[in-house]
Amino acid sequence: QVQLVESGGGSVQAGGSLRLSCVSSRGTVNGNCLGWFRQAPGKEREGVARIYNFAGTAYTLYVDSVKGRATISQDNAENMVYLQMNSLKPEDTAMYYCAASPTAWCGLQIREYKYWGQGTQVTVDS
């Protein structure tokens, strides 16, 4: 059973940066499709970014609102996935969740993911 733990959230000023980390503390997620989601108060959870590896190439996908400001990456040796967020905006304020799909390929739909972390809070002040 995969167990995901996020870290790296916090409060930053608009324009600042944060690097979110997610480790699988039990079980490996190497070979799984991995994603970051977020949920703001009163809003539905949305997919932010996802990554999977195929034939030695990492394939990434981002929601339009973070394109050019976010980078998802994976460290298989450390069993970790990261989300670097730059030029943060107040509308990025949300609880951010790491998730793993049971398959090697996935998109950004919640239903595609089976394992979820508890989340890390990101607050961006204007």
Side-chain angles (χ1 to χ4, degrees):
Q1 181 78 5
V2 172
Q3 189 168 28
L4 303 174
V5 180
E6 305 95 334
S7 61
S11 295
V12 296
Q13 293 292 316
S17 298
L18 280 175
R19 187 194 195 201
L20 307 183
S21 301
C22 173
V23 63
S24 176
S25 61
R26 190 166 60 191
T28 179
V29 292
N30 296 338
N32 295 69
C33 183
L34 302 171
W36 284 95
F37 289 75
R38 66 185 179 185
Q39 188 166 18
K43 295 189 176 181
E44 294 184 352
R45 190 171 299 191
E46 67 167 348
V48 177
R50 73 97 169 97
I51 186 169
Y52 68 87
N53 290 278
F54 179 74
T57 299
Y59 293 86
T60 58
L61 176 67
Y62 300 92
V63 68
D64 285 347
S65 59
V66 305
K67 282 181 180 177
R69 301 189 297 119
T71 303
I72 186 171
S73 60
Q74 183 177 7
D75 185 335
N76 287 332
E78 298 295 329
N79 218 19
M80 295 192 70
V81 61
Y82 304 96
L83 183 68
Q84 176 72 40
M85 294 281 293
N86 301 321
S87 302
L88 283 161
K89 306 175 181 181
E91 50 263 43
D92 293 317
T93 295
M95 184 72 78
Y96 282 71
Y97 299 90
C98 172
S101 169
T103 61
W105 179 94
C106 66
L108 275 175
Q109 300 298 314
I110 293 174
R111 65 177 184 272
E112 298 177 275
Y113 295 80
K114 180 177 181 180
Y115 307 104
W116 294 83
Q118 294 299 306
T120 185
Q121 178 68 39
V122 171
T123 302
V124 184
D125 299 316
S126 58

